[in-house]
Amino acid sequence: MAVCIGIESTAHTLGVGIFKGERMLANENDMYRPKKGGIHPRVAADHHAEVFGSVLRAAFEKSKIAKGEVDFVAYARGPGLGPCLKVGMAGASALAAKLGVPLVPVNHCAAHVEIGAHYCKMKDPLILYVSGGNTQIVVREAGIGRRENGAVARRGRGYHVMGETLDIGVGNLIDVFARSLGEEFAHGSVVEKLATGGKYFPLPYTVKGMNMTFTGLLTEATKQLGSHDKKDVCFSLQETAFSMLTEATERALALTRKKEVLACGGVAQNRRLAEMLALMAREHKARFATSPPEFNADNGAMIAYTGLLARRQAIDWRKADVNPKWRLDEAVI
């Protein structure tokens, strides 16, 4: 069975994972945690460069494999923060060159989808991918050749985006709002906790077919912090955003008639969102599941697993590059 090392560095996490066939051998990471505000790309990139060696060593120690057993090195080519992506690319390229193995560029979003489908044992799901920078409703499809910057990609399995955010990702919505609460650790988990026991009041709700927008909701929710209890604002924000996602996903499910619904990405860890989606899927007699929390967070294991699936797309390490805006529907595995 082939062995692949995966390098994740799209945002705040430097992750190194190792897969042998369909079995995970290691999944080590180190997260950059800003003391205040959001992620500073350059500072996060410096963090990744500093911890790369230690995280890589930890992954090798955990996996108990020798360097000579590695067949591929995969790295997250995008989408993500440019400086962070370049650190991962440089580290992966150096490793591939040293080991004398091919390099596999992996789409970060595709990795979330593929690792989720693998661990949830889903063959043909409708996927809701929800993270900080991405919010998309996706189906997998037989590859017919994709175009990226005018170039024809190699054939393989691809992805079709049925609906998506037209402005910011739902994770970005929640994290930016969380920083307005004055809490010590501004993160989506704070909003989820505060929302427990809150009361609902109307906030802007914008769904256009299977697309949605969140900036109006963010602006109004932030304004309401001055006149409503923050628990009520958190509850109303969550209920509104997650209802939008559930409505759009249900529309896609009714159209595709899929029998499986998968939620993946950082926001898929939210229990209220999972509750809404599970109820919706049940009404359509579809099985619902979310990726295990370890793989909803950014991680190297999902890059390693998807690298094995996409090994036909392998390149020489000298041709490595990054694409911070690499769309999921431009990716092929």
Side-chain angles (χ1 to χ4, degrees):
M1 290 182 286
V3 174
C4 183
I5 297 178
I7 310 297
E8 159 62 29
S9 67
T10 57
H12 49 55
T13 298
L14 189 284
V16 179
I18 302 177
F19 255 81
K20 183 176 183 179
E22 295 189 347
R23 184 165 62 95
M24 184 179 73
L25 303 181
N27 192 19
E28 303 299 308
N29 65 75
D30 195 301
M31 183 185 295
Y32 157 66
R33 298 178 183 272
K35 295 180 179 179
K36 185 178 181 181
I39 300 172
H40 189 295
R42 186 64 264 166
V43 178
D46 290 341
H47 162 269
H48 296 351
E50 290 171 6
V51 303
F52 189 95
S54 61
V55 177
L56 180 63
R57 284 191 296 273
F60 268 112
E61 290 172 4
K62 181 73 176 291
S63 69
K64 294 182 171 57
I65 66 165
K67 294 180 180 179
E69 297 179 69
V70 177
D71 299 293
F72 299 93
V73 174
Y75 74 102
R77 178 176 177 256
L81 303 175
C84 298
L85 290 170
K86 289 178 181 178
V87 171
M89 178 198 72
S93 298
L95 184 59
K98 183 177 181 178
L99 299 178
V101 299
L103 189 64
V104 185
V106 168
N107 182 283
H108 174 86
C109 309
H112 273 297
V113 169
E114 296 302 334
I115 198 78
H118 172 63
Y119 275 96
C120 294
K121 301 186 185 306
M122 290 187 167
K123 294 182 178 180
D124 185 28
L126 174 70
I127 303 125
L128 176 64
Y129 171 47
V130 278
S131 68
N134 300 278
T135 297
Q136 296 176 316
I137 301 167
V138 182
V139 291
R140 298 187 294 186
E141 62 181 6
I144 53 176
R146 290 289 185 275
R147 288 187 174 271
E148 182 188 348
N149 299 326
V152 178
R154 303 180 192 180
R155 291 182 179 273
R157 187 171 72 208
Y159 306 87
H160 176 67
V161 176
M162 300 189 68
E164 61 188 325
T165 174
L166 299 178
D167 46 26
I168 60 174
V170 66
N172 193 3
L173 158 72
I174 297 172
D175 285 347
V176 172
F177 175 76
R179 292 199 287 272
S180 303
L181 295 173
E183 298 290 327
E184 184 175 348
F185 182 51
H187 193 268
S189 59
V190 172
V191 176
E192 181 178 10
K193 184 177 180 180
L194 286 171
T196 304
K199 297 180 181 179
Y200 179 78
F201 65 89
L203 287 171
Y205 183 107
T206 310
V207 174
K208 301 177 180 180
M210 285 176 274
N211 298 325
M212 67 286 302
T213 62
F214 294 110
T215 47
L217 172 58
L218 172 61
T219 300
E220 186 61 24
T222 304
K223 285 182 180 178
Q224 293 301 324
L225 285 172
S227 54
H228 286 81
D229 185 281
K230 62 183 178 182
K231 289 186 176 181
D232 295 341
V233 184
C234 288
F235 179 79
S236 300
L237 175 78
Q238 276 201 169
E239 290 296 299
T240 302
F242 296 165
S243 295
M244 290 164 58
L245 293 171
T246 303
E247 177 189 333
T249 304
E250 182 173 25
R251 191 165 286 126
L253 184 61
L255 179 65
T256 61
R257 300 183 181 181
K258 301 283 189 185
K259 295 302 179 185
E260 300 169 323
V261 179
L262 171 68
C264 60
V267 185
Q269 299 175 82
N270 187 291
R271 286 168 291 183
R272 178 55 178 155
L273 175 59
E275 181 183 20
M276 285 185 172
L277 292 169
L279 177 61
M280 178 275 293
R282 189 160 59 246
E283 291 178 348
H284 289 267
K285 296 181 172 54
R287 181 169 77 90
F288 171 76
T290 61
S291 295
E294 180 179 5
F295 304 118
N296 276 327
D298 290 350
N299 63 95
M302 68 181 188
I303 304 300
Y305 175 70
T306 309
L308 287 174
L309 297 180
R311 53 193 168 193
R312 291 178 299 178
Q313 316 298 333
I315 60 174
D316 182 272
W317 65 268
R318 298 174 186 84
K319 296 181 179 179
D321 66 349
V322 300
N323 184 350
K325 296 183 178 180
W326 192 16
R327 285 181 56 86
L328 176 56
D329 51 10
E330 293 174 336
V332 177
I333 64 170

